[in-house]
Amino acid sequence: MPVLGWLAVAAVFAVATAGLLWARRHLLLVAVVGRSMEPTLRSGDRVLARRVPLARVRPGDVVVVVAPAQMTAGRPVDADAAGTPGLLIKRAYAVPGDPVPVDRVPLLRQGGERNVPAGRLVLLGDNPSQSYDSRECGYFAEPDVLGVLVRPRPRPS
C-alpha cells in the first residue's frame, strides 16, 4: 500500500506541474496601473490574458501589448502600464483588413491606407484623456501583442 500511496502522490505532482507549465505558457497575469481603461478596468485590478496570435484578436477585445518605443523614450512607461513596466492594456478598435478609423485616429490619415495593414492593430484606451494609444503613436505591431484578456467587463455605452 505505501508504494501505491507514493505513486498517487507522484501522479498528482506530475499533473500539477504539467498544469502550471501549461498555464505559464498560455496565460499572463497582469495588474492594471493607471486610468487609461476606466471604467472598464481600474488601477489595482488584476486581469488574466490568454496568449493568442494576432489573427485571433477581434475588434472589441482587450489586449496586453508591449509599449511602443516612442512611449518609452519620452514618457514614463509605467504611468499607463499593466503592472509590468513596458506593458499596456488597450482595446482593439481595428484589426488587419478593417477600414482605417481616421475619424477616431486622425494620425492614421498620414499613411494613406484604406484598410489596416497586415500585422498591425489600432488600439484605444476606454478613457481617451488618460490613454497613450493609437491616437498618439499610430499602429501597434503584431509581435507586440502578448494576449487577450479573459472575460473583461464590457465597454461602457
Side-chain angles (χ1 to χ4, degrees), residues 10-28:
V12 168
F13 180 75
V15 169
T17 301
L20 288 173
L21 290 173
W22 179 90
R24 185 176 174 106
R25 184 178 176 109
H26 296 283
L27 300 172
L28 178 65

Side-chain angles (χ1 to χ4, degrees), residues 5 8 20 30 34 41 45 70 78 93 103 118 122 131 134 140 142:
L20 288 173
V30 291
L41 299 171
D45 287 352
Q70 60 264 46
D78 59 353
Y93 190 79
D103 56 325
V122 176
S131 184
S134 289
F140 283 78
E142 172 183 8

Side-chain angles (χ1 to χ4, degrees), residues 14-155:
V15 169
T17 301
L20 288 173
L21 290 173
W22 179 90
R24 185 176 174 106
R25 184 178 176 109
H26 296 283
L27 300 172
L28 178 65
L29 180 65
V30 291
V32 177
V33 176
R35 301 178 56 201
S36 73
M37 288 299 293
E38 287 182 350
T40 306
L41 299 171
R42 300 193 189 294
S43 194
D45 287 352
R46 294 175 74 74
V47 294
L48 189 63
R50 182 176 27 91
R51 296 177 192 265
V52 296
L54 179 62
R56 306 233 346 240
V57 175
R58 298 179 304 242
D61 285 346
V62 178
V63 299
V64 177
V65 63
V66 175
Q70 60 264 46
M71 180 181 183
T72 58
R75 185 176 165 161
V77 110
D78 59 353
D80 196 35
T84 303
L87 299 183
L88 303 173
I89 297 177
K90 302 293 174 201
R91 189 174 300 276
Y93 190 79
V95 298
D98 286 351
V100 175
V102 293
D103 56 325
R104 296 286 304 263
V105 188
L107 175 67
L108 297 179
R109 279 194 182 104
Q110 298 170 2
E113 301 98 353
R114 294 178 60 110
N115 295 321
V116 176
R120 301 285 183 235
L121 284 172
V122 176
L123 302 178
L124 302 176
D126 288 355
N127 186 0
S129 68
Q130 298 294 317
S131 184
Y132 183 87
D133 54 32
S134 289
R135 290 174 278 237
E136 291 182 33
C137 69
Y139 295 115
F140 283 78
E142 172 183 8
D144 294 340
V145 176
L146 299 179
V148 174
L149 265 59
V150 177
R151 290 194 209 167
R153 288 175 268 196
R155 183 175 184 196

